[in-house]
Amino acid sequence: MPTPESLEHRVARFVETTPVHDIHTHLYDPGFRSLLAWGIDEQLVYHYLVSESFRQMDLPFERFWSASRSEQAEFVWKALFVDHSPVSEACRGVLTTLHALGLDARHQDLPSIRAWFAEQKPDDFVDRVLSLANVRSVCMTNSPFDDEERAYWEARPVRDSRFQAALRIDPLLLSWPESAARLRGWGYAVGLEPSAGTVSEVRRFLADWTLRIKSRYCMVSLPPTFVFPSANDTNWLIEQAVLPHCREFDQPFALMMGVKRAVNPLLRMAGDGVGRSDLNALQNLCASHPENRFLVTCLARENQHELVVLARKFRNLHPFGCWWFTNTPQLIEEITTMRLELLGTSFTPQHSDARVIDQLIYKWQHTRAILARCLTQKYAAMAAAGWPVTDAELQRDVTELLGGAFQKFCGSGPQ
Ligand code: RAT
Ligand code: ZN
């Protein structure tokens, strides 16, 4: 008689074999050649690692920033992998990724790892990574305010359906006077004040880009100082332009709350920090706009419990991901368990935030292991109370958690 498979093993099997829809990344459609980052040097200059490496080297900031990308990668490699043990989550990510690709980071030096990557064909590599990470599709972060990216969209690219678009509008909502000038330059007749004409032109801009890129949702990251309602540009733009736009296109509005940009400008894009958000703003948004849907992640650990409690009160609120500084094993486990205990399966536990396609491998391998552990505990507790989970139920739950609940929450959208 074969021994029955343990619950732990069964849950891990479903979590590993169910493809994920990754709902927020900074990856690009492989057709956007210069924008799609891959390879060991890109992994090493990931800003998560850059900020850690400055703690372990004396190098002046300017010396690092004036170095070539490959020299920067060498600085990081030496500081974090050679001179010290690669203990941190971002360092471990490089190890997991190289290991999964069949490379022995311990016994190969950086030049030989580079030589291996140099032999890969980009398109084949993308396929291999998606398959190793068991990722079905990813949402990109697409900004009309990024000149290099805008040029690709204006050339009407042939799309790879695995790479879905999300319209990122931070400059529109957070730097209105400058963005208004850019909109005028692109032919939208906006003024600085929220007149009916300006609002309708902002909506025309949002509609044009939603249709051009076939966006699934609109997205912004917000500082801890965000309040709603309030008499400022961010508020009238959200209330009069973004929310009506989302209703018209039957799409959620995604808010990433709690980032303090450029806490240390010497670190450039590695210099952002975290602050506790005032979730009264989110409560007010959800309560005053029940016909809108909000996808929300919070950067501060201190906001996680309040976010989950709010989601119990508002079904138009869908928590997602363990974002950036909360994407560490201990916090993922804490946050995911809390969400399961208070929301069941009606949330999306994780997004990868990958900037380098290779990172999909480690982000999902690490998250899957924790998700399986959290779920096993919950199913064991259910079994102890007389409700052993069936395979069909397990598959349904895992599918929901790995993107299915998000897809339902998104609605059909414009496609
Ligand atoms: O996690 C990150 O890579 C951050 O730099 C941010 O990009 C953040 O995820 C964001 O989308 O603003
Ligand atoms: Zn991001």
Side-chain angles (χ1 to χ4, degrees), residues 24-26 141 168 256 323 351 353 355:
H24 170 62
T25 74
H26 297 265
T141 296
R168 183 73 175 242
M256 305 183 85
W323 178 26
H351 65 273
D353 238 311
R355 287 179 178 268

